[in-house]
Amino acid sequence: MTQARLELVCPAGTPAALRTAIDAGADTVYCGFADETNARNFPGLNFSRAEMAEGIAYADARGAKVLVAINTFPRAGAEALWHGAVADAYAAGAHAVILADLGLLAHTAERHPGRRIHLSVQAAAANADAINFYAAAFGVKRVVLPRVLSVQEIAAINREISVETEVFIFGGLCVMAEGRCALSSYATGRSPNMHGVCSPASHVAYSEEGADLVSRLGGFTIHRVPKAVAAPYPTLCKGHFTAGDYAGHVFEDPVSLDAAALIPQLAKAGVRALKIEGRQRSRAYVAEVVRTFRQAVEAEAAGLAIPASDLRRLTEGQQSTAGAYRKTWR
Amino acid sequence: MELNVGPLLFNWPADAWSDFYARVADEAPVDRVILGELVCSKRLPFYADRIPQAIERLERGGKQVVLTSLALVTLPRERRAAAALLAPDGIEVEINDLTLMRWVEPGRRFSIGPLVNVYNESTLRYLAGQGARAICLPPELPFASVEILGKAAGAAGIGLEIWAFGRVPLAISARCYHARIHGLTKDSCQFVCDRDPDGLDVKTLDAQSFLTVNGVQTLSHNCTNLAGDLPRLAEAGVTALRLSPHSGDFVGVTRVFRAAAEGRITAPEAEARLSCLIPPMPLSRGFLFGDRGAA
């Protein structure tokens, strides 16, 4: 049986990546302004106001849509920066803004009535009641589901809500409930919620100690590997630690999410859109991943098997997981 | 300055749970006690039948009692329990997952706990407008934000509480780390989190204590102590302090904070006394006044 085609939502950290993603088959691209209003506030990434307008024009001309992520939690005393980002995104012609903060949702619903709002994964709306609250209170039209749910749970949620759901299908994997994690803040003072960064490069140090290569974050050792081995980036929750008699990856191995094999189940579960993580990744990465998932989505829509892919080499540590989509992960 | 005892975060045996609340009821100089299960719904059946008795004793001891919601609501039974908490005739509920906003009826008494993201004035005003009596701010916030939110809370006529004592909740997950560390999964966890009354130390490969695992929750290794900062906090508009339970002499901890609130004890004295009352863990003011939580 053929089903409605899933929407493919792809990352763009730069205007060039936006064009690459659309050319490779993205239905929709998400991006952010070059400041702390979005959760990938990395040096050299993101869009000026003029670049955003140009990017949206490029998408419009090709029948694609642009979503603007304004998904950090506005700083007390500085909310005008976030309010301006919402107004500018809509003025530039964005299809929707992606928001997480209650206050910013309330502001946007009041000041921009009728404009489309998506709920960011950073809001961690993990059940139908939470989603129905956001829909009723702020008119949210789509929810990006947190990576804590199994496919069965996603199906159950979709039976109880009337808004669209979007799920992560590939890329970086948060093992903590998104938008509710202060691990990076604890180690470095810089956090996803407040600054749009996690385990920032500014606080990373590598050092050779004897036969080891050690990577530290904020002075805390995250990995210690033999010099000959490529040291993984010291993302805090993927670190190697000890706890009692246990030594290893206490929270999660250095792996990425790859749920391509679950696309048919996710479609049956009523999911509307698949999201690829990675606004910080290169154009080449975006092109290859988007092209691969375009084929997968077309195969799914035609009722064919999902083609095997060779994306594993692009994932963190060349390892992948289906995460919480399979219940045994917990 | 009000003193509030936060919900017990750890999996203690039911008898220890009852003894703890009996002692707080009878001896702790605190205004409010928030109890119930915040971290893992699988723990609740072990002591659920003792909650009514604890509430009665706490109220007899002159404490206001508040029931907490779970931090992360996903399962159907967790959703039902969340809705039931907000039954119209019930006692005050502390919301720690915004799921519960779905069930708040006009006039229902509730407050907002530290695991809800309240980072700015608009969010504070929105929740006050929905009827929140008070808000306990996320522990991650720096003092500059607390000062601004103190003014906003005053203008909105609600209480403002901050995390003043205890290991800091840093993250919540669908995955159970206690289970993972013991080679188990969440569904077959054997409740191994009961072996660590203050959580399980996570150390770096250089043997530096770093974090604390508590089932699905991750906490700081260090223990917040703001006993020396109370005049400054009061001036910023903070109306209540959250004291989070630990093993050792927790009633003694509440007495230190009462003495500090009444100006009867200096900051160094408070710190020296607290260190004797709790298991060994460094005291910290990092999130509020340092450059990071671990400071």
Side-chain angles (χ1 to χ4, degrees), chain B residues 54-276:
Chain B
I55 291 174
E56 192 194 326
R57 186 149 173 181
L58 286 161
E59 286 179 339
R60 218 164 46 224
K63 279 78 176 171
Q64 292 182 44
V65 181
V66 177
L67 283 173
T68 183
S69 80
L70 268 184
L72 179 62
V73 176
T74 54
L75 304 175
R77 68 178 159 77
E78 295 170 348
R79 292 169 57 202
R80 287 192 295 273
L85 271 182
L86 286 165
D89 50 350
I91 61 175
E92 180 175 325
V93 170
E94 178 173 285
I95 291 179
N96 275 298
D97 181 323
L98 286 172
T99 297
L100 277 83
M101 293 303 294
R102 173 85 172 85
W103 306 111
V104 169
E105 294 290 338
R108 182 64 170 83
R109 193 171 168 84
F110 73 98
S111 49
I112 296 292
L115 300 186
V116 169
N117 286 334
V118 181
Y119 282 83
N120 54 63
E121 308 92 299
S122 291
T123 299
L124 183 146
R125 279 196 295 268
Y126 174 80
L127 292 166
Q130 299 301 304
R133 176 195 59 78
I135 291 174
C136 182
L137 294 176
E140 166 180 57
L141 280 178
F143 187 62
S145 290
V146 173
E147 287 182 295
I148 293 166
L149 294 172
K151 289 196 185 78
I158 64 167
L160 193 73
E161 181 176 341
I162 61 166
W163 191 272
F165 179 82
R167 285 184 159 157
V168 183
L170 297 177
I172 190 92
S173 176
R175 173 179 259 186
C176 178
Y177 301 109
H178 252 100
R180 178 172 160 87
I181 285 164
H182 286 88
L184 304 165
T185 66
K186 188 177 171 187
D187 286 345
S188 62
C189 68
Q190 299 173 27
F191 301 98
V192 286
C193 56
D194 70 356
R195 299 177 193 178
D196 301 296
D198 297 279
L200 174 59
D201 277 5
V202 174
K203 294 180 176 175
T204 69
L205 291 180
D206 294 328
Q208 183 178 15
S209 289
F210 185 20
L211 301 167
T212 304
V213 158
N214 175 37
V216 294
Q217 184 181 50
T218 306
L219 298 158
S220 63
H221 169 68
N222 66 23
C223 172
T224 296
N225 166 32
L226 302 181
D229 302 296
L230 303 195
R232 199 172 168 186
L233 295 173
E235 198 179 324
V238 172
T239 61
L241 304 178
R242 162 101 15 152
L243 311 178
S244 185
H246 278 282
S247 67
D249 182 3
F250 186 73
V251 167
V253 170
T254 66
R255 287 185 183 130
V256 170
F257 274 85
R258 180 54 71 197
E262 292 173 356
R264 293 187 277 107
I265 186 171
T266 66
E269 282 167 351
E271 188 165 330
R273 283 177 57 187
L274 288 172
S275 296
C276 301

Side-chain angles (χ1 to χ4, degrees), chain B residues 13-24:
Chain B
D15 286 342
W17 189 97
S18 293
D19 291 349
F20 174 81
Y21 284 107
R23 203 166 161 230
V24 167

Side-chain angles (χ1 to χ4, degrees), chain A residues 303-315:
Chain A
L304 304 171
I306 303 298
S309 81
D310 187 28
L311 292 177
R312 184 162 295 188
R313 68 199 150 74
L314 297 176
T315 60

Side-chain angles (χ1 to χ4, degrees), chain A:
Chain A
M1 190 184 82
T2 57
Q3 314 203 7
R5 202 178 252 84
L6 289 159
E7 178 181 333
L8 194 55
V9 182
C10 304
T14 62
L18 177 145
R19 295 189 296 270
T20 300
I22 291 171
D23 295 347
D27 297 303
T28 303
V29 166
Y30 66 101
C31 46
F33 291 120
D35 56 36
E36 63 197 292
T37 62
N38 84 89
R40 288 289 184 280
N41 178 27
F42 300 164
L45 275 197
N46 298 317
F47 290 62
S48 68
R49 267 45 178 182
E51 288 167 340
M52 189 66 78
E54 286 163 22
I56 290 171
Y58 187 89
D60 278 347
R62 288 153 186 84
K65 291 176 289 207
V66 174
L67 313 176
V68 180
I70 305 169
N71 57 348
T72 48
F73 293 83
R75 189 169 67 251
E79 292 183 78
L81 180 66
W82 281 259
H83 296 169
V86 170
D88 291 349
Y90 285 138
H95 179 66
V97 293
I98 309 172
L99 309 179
D101 179 63
L102 269 185
L104 192 58
L105 283 157
H107 166 89
T108 303
E110 188 190 321
R111 300 295 174 85
H112 304 277
R115 301 306 298 263
R116 190 171 163 99
I117 301 173
H118 291 187
L119 190 69
S120 170
V121 71
Q122 298 299 114
N127 62 64
D129 300 324
I131 292 166
N132 285 330
F133 158 67
Y134 284 104
F138 311 115
V140 162
K141 294 286 190 288
R142 176 182 293 185
V143 175
V144 185
L145 294 178
R147 283 162 278 192
V148 300
L149 299 166
S150 68
V151 174
Q152 291 84 347
E153 286 165 346
I154 291 169
I157 284 173
N158 275 323
R159 286 194 289 272
E160 287 188 63
I161 63 173
S162 54
V163 301
E164 300 168 2
T165 52
E166 177 175 315
V167 300
F168 280 91
I169 195 75
F170 190 83
L173 173 71
C174 282
V175 300
M176 307 300 181
E178 296 94 337
R180 309 187 68 181
C181 179
L183 290 177
S184 177
S185 192
Y186 183 66
T188 73
R190 308 278 296 165
S191 79
N193 284 3
M194 292 194 294
H195 310 99
V197 298
C198 174
S199 307
S202 54
H203 289 69
V204 169
Y206 293 92
S207 66
E208 293 190 358
E209 297 177 12
D212 294 343
L213 178 59
V214 181
S215 60
R216 293 194 172 87
L217 181 74
F220 293 103
T221 298
I222 306 298
H223 296 288
R224 177 181 279 278
V225 296
K227 265 188 221 164
V229 175
Y233 186 86
T235 302
L236 203 163
C237 59
K238 312 279 177 68
H240 193 128
F241 306 112
T242 66
D245 296 330
Y246 175 91
H249 298 103
V250 165
F251 304 105
E252 177 59 299
D253 306 306
V255 296
S256 294
L257 176 72
D258 182 358
L262 295 177
I263 288 175
Q265 288 97 310
L266 290 166
K268 282 196 193 71
V271 165
R272 177 74 191 82
L274 304 178
K275 181 168 203 153
I276 296 167
E277 186 273 348
R279 284 189 278 147
Q280 70 285 13
R281 306 301 292 260
S282 70
R283 281 168 66 192
Y285 174 95
V286 168
E288 184 163 358
V289 174
V290 172
R291 206 175 295 123
T292 302
F293 276 91
R294 167 51 56 203
Q295 288 166 3
V297 164
E298 294 302 324
E300 159 59 24
L304 304 171
I306 303 298
S309 81
D310 187 28
L311 292 177
R312 184 162 295 188
R313 68 199 150 74
L314 297 176
T315 60
E316 189 177 352
Q318 282 82 54
Q319 289 186 67
S320 62
T321 172
Y325 293 136
R326 296 194 202 279
K327 209 174 166 200
T328 48
W329 179 84
R330 295 171 185 168

